[in-house]
Amino acid sequence: MDGRLTTGTGATAARPNPGGRSLHRFANPGRFLRATGRLMPLLWGAALIVLGAGLLWGLVLSPADWQQGETVRIMYVHVPMAWLAMGGYTGLAILSVMSLIWRHPLADLTARELSPVGAAVTALCLATGSLWGKPMWGTWWVWDARLTSVLVLFFLWLGHAALVRAFDDPERGARTGAILALVGIVNVPIVKFSVDWWNTLHQPASVTRLNAPGMHVDILYPLLACALGFSLLFAAVVLARTRAAVMERRVRALQLARARREEGVPA
């Protein structure tokens, strides 16, 4: 994780492209830790403030729905979890492209730390959806297109988290996990558009419609505040995990170099 580029041989190696060089700017662990060290307090503070205000607004101050009653308040957690499950997996696919094409070491570490958080978010999406579905549909679970595709997304998150940790060679695990992430990205549009393509119990999109949101602003605004707060918290957790992984790798490298010096082996 020394920030060196892997660009191949011959002319390509002699003339690395500017895009690759800029992508590897923060591959240096010291530079990454310094930059994110300044960002982390701001990110944690913004996450706690926005999420606290959003949850207070949505769970306490917002009105009950005329049809769903107080049950609608589950939406303020369920919907942001669904958005983060899909958006986070899209981010995982982008990191996988960076890993496979540019061999970016920080992309490997971030993807490794992202997948457990993404799996937890998707599990919360499924759990809150089940809690919401019982009073609305009369059942905890149905095998409709939306629920089944989200369940597949959960297994993709778990599969990536397990796969990148299944090899003794971290680079091999990262490559294999990146391939799985790119194969699984086809499920994200299925999750998104399943309510439009098939007959499901879920209602069609009511926030991202092109003409106008299909919900009252008294519910829409606290929902967006919760979504922003959860997104900031998601980013803070992933960044904190990545920083810990970078520091752990640096400690291991220092311990290995020290052991080699004590044994008289060149580093």
Side-chain angles (χ1 to χ4, degrees):
M1 184 117 174
D2 55 3
R4 292 177 295 180
L5 295 177
T6 304
T7 56
T9 58
T12 305
R15 299 179 60 185
N17 64 77
R21 194 181 304 120
S22 62
L23 282 172
H24 280 259
R25 179 181 178 186
F26 291 102
N28 180 277
R31 184 180 293 120
F32 170 77
L33 291 174
R34 287 192 298 271
T36 56
R38 294 189 292 268
L39 176 64
M40 288 302 298
L42 298 176
L43 192 57
W44 280 114
L48 294 177
I49 292 172
V50 175
L51 183 57
L55 289 177
L56 177 64
W57 193 359
L59 300 180
V60 178
L61 301 179
S62 68
D65 183 70
W66 69 274
Q67 187 175 21
Q68 301 183 46
E70 299 294 338
T71 310
V72 75
R73 301 190 190 279
I74 302 175
M75 174 185 66
Y76 298 114
V77 177
H78 172 72
V79 173
M81 293 301 105
W83 290 347
L84 283 172
M86 293 185 290
Y89 198 91
T90 303
L92 181 66
I94 294 172
L95 291 169
S96 299
V97 171
M98 294 173 61
S99 172
L100 292 173
I101 297 179
W102 290 287
R103 295 293 194 268
H104 199 295
L106 190 58
D108 290 340
L109 275 182
T110 306
R112 178 187 177 94
E113 301 305 321
L114 171 62
S115 50
V117 184
V121 163
T122 311
L124 282 173
C125 172
L126 291 168
T128 52
S130 181
L131 291 173
W132 198 3
K134 178 60 175 177
M136 292 298 102
W137 303 336
T139 181
W140 298 102
W141 182 267
V142 290
W143 291 98
D144 76 345
R146 171 60 63 83
L147 288 174
T148 304
S149 57
V150 173
L151 183 62
V152 170
L153 184 63
F154 175 62
F155 288 137
L156 286 169
W157 278 118
L158 289 182
H160 183 275
L163 198 57
V164 296
R165 293 164 172 81
F167 297 90
D168 294 332
D169 181 7
E171 185 174 351
R172 184 181 177 189
R175 298 291 89 76
T176 309
I179 294 172
L180 173 65
L182 291 178
V183 171
I185 192 62
V186 299
N187 186 56
V188 172
I190 294 176
V191 174
K192 169 62 180 172
F193 297 108
S194 57
V195 293
D196 302 315
W197 294 343
W198 295 287
N199 183 24
T200 74
L201 291 177
H202 281 80
Q203 67 181 36
S206 52
V207 176
T208 57
R209 291 191 330 199
L210 294 179
N211 50 2
M215 62 178 63
H216 195 273
V217 293
D218 288 344
I219 295 177
L220 175 62
Y221 289 165
L223 174 61
L224 295 179
C226 288
L228 177 58
F230 278 118
S231 298
L232 291 170
L233 182 62
F234 184 90
V237 171
V238 172
L239 191 56
R241 289 177 59 92
T242 305
R243 281 174 52 84
V246 170
M247 288 186 282
E248 180 182 359
R249 180 166 293 190
R250 293 188 72 184
V251 169
R252 287 202 305 267
L254 291 173
Q255 290 174 340
L256 180 60
R258 180 179 178 181
R260 286 178 174 177
R261 285 196 304 269
E262 291 176 351
E263 296 174 0
V265 178

